[in-house]
Amino acid sequence: MAADEKAQAKGEQAKGKAKKVVGGAAGNESLKGKGHADESKGDLRAAKEKAKDAIKSK
C-alpha cells in the first residue's frame, strides 16, 4: 500500500510540474496555477508517506 501511495505522489508531482511548464510556456496562468496545486498535493502526499515510514522504523 505504501508503495502505491509513493508512486501516486511521484505521479502527482510530475503531472503538476508538466502543467506548470506548459502553462508558463503558453502564458496560461490558470494551467500554471493548477500545475502548482497538483505538484503541492504530490509533495504533501510524499511527506505524509515519509512520516509514516519514519514512525514505522522506530
Side-chain angles (χ1 to χ4, degrees):
M1 179 87 145
D4 291 341
E5 291 286 326
K6 288 178 184 177
Q8 189 173 5
K10 291 289 184 188
E12 287 173 345
Q13 290 169 329
K15 183 173 103 176
K17 187 144 187 104
K19 281 184 181 179
K20 277 181 19 181
V21 169
V22 171
N28 185 336
E29 290 300 317
S30 175
L31 184 60
K32 191 175 175 182
K34 288 178 184 177
H36 184 69
D38 286 345
E39 191 173 20
S40 295
K41 185 177 171 184
D43 290 343
L44 288 172
R45 187 181 305 272
K48 178 186 83 169
E49 289 304 312
K50 187 179 268 190
K52 283 174 34 179
D53 288 344
I55 291 169
K56 286 181 184 179
S57 67
K58 289 186 178 186

